[in-house]
Amino acid sequence: MEAGEIFDCQSCGACCCYSSQWPRFSTEDDAQLALIPAKYVASDESGMRCVGVRCSALTGEIGKTTACGIYDVRPEVCRSCMPGDPECLMARKAHNL
């Protein structure tokens, strides 16, 4: 990452399309998990449902325009990935961004 480089999540989305193992529930309590619509939860309830490696709550095209369909209630793993952090850079590299 170069000094002053800005990462715009809504024109990226790589972290939401990196690995079906990444969007795993970890610190959420039952009340928080209940807010996530069931259609976005994996059948074993361990994390977000993915289609391949893409989170089912992600809309748009990677590297162009993306959004989270459950942004306000997204799990902690999604909240903890910050623009420009090592996980962000790893996902961006996987998508050649």
Side-chain angles (χ1 to χ4, degrees), residues 14 18 22 85-96:
Y18 178 74
W22 194 330
D85 73 7
E87 290 79 12
C88 166
L89 297 177
M90 180 174 58
R92 289 178 58 84
K93 183 176 179 181
H95 287 278
N96 297 312

Side-chain angles (χ1 to χ4, degrees), residues 49-86:
R49 183 175 66 81
C50 290
V51 177
V53 296
R54 184 184 175 111
C55 178
S56 61
L58 181 66
T59 62
E61 186 177 345
I62 303 300
K64 298 205 182 224
T65 302
T66 60
C68 176
I70 61 162
Y71 187 81
D72 290 337
V73 296
R74 69 196 186 282
E76 182 58 34
V77 67
C78 303
R79 293 174 188 276
S80 66
C81 187
M82 293 283 111
D85 73 7

Side-chain angles (χ1 to χ4, degrees), residues 2-77:
E2 294 182 29
E5 191 169 0
I6 296 174
F7 296 93
D8 177 12
C9 297
Q10 291 181 313
S11 66
C12 182
C15 62
C16 302
C17 191
Y18 178 74
S19 168
S20 62
Q21 301 303 309
W22 194 330
R24 294 288 171 224
F25 301 143
S26 57
T27 62
E28 296 79 9
D29 61 27
D30 289 342
Q32 291 169 306
L33 293 175
L35 296 174
I36 300 172
K39 69 181 182 178
Y40 296 124
V41 177
S43 60
D44 66 0
E45 298 183 349
S46 63
M48 298 298 291
R49 183 175 66 81
C50 290
V51 177
V53 296
R54 184 184 175 111
C55 178
S56 61
L58 181 66
T59 62
E61 186 177 345
I62 303 300
K64 298 205 182 224
T65 302
T66 60
C68 176
I70 61 162
Y71 187 81
D72 290 337
V73 296
R74 69 196 186 282
E76 182 58 34
V77 67

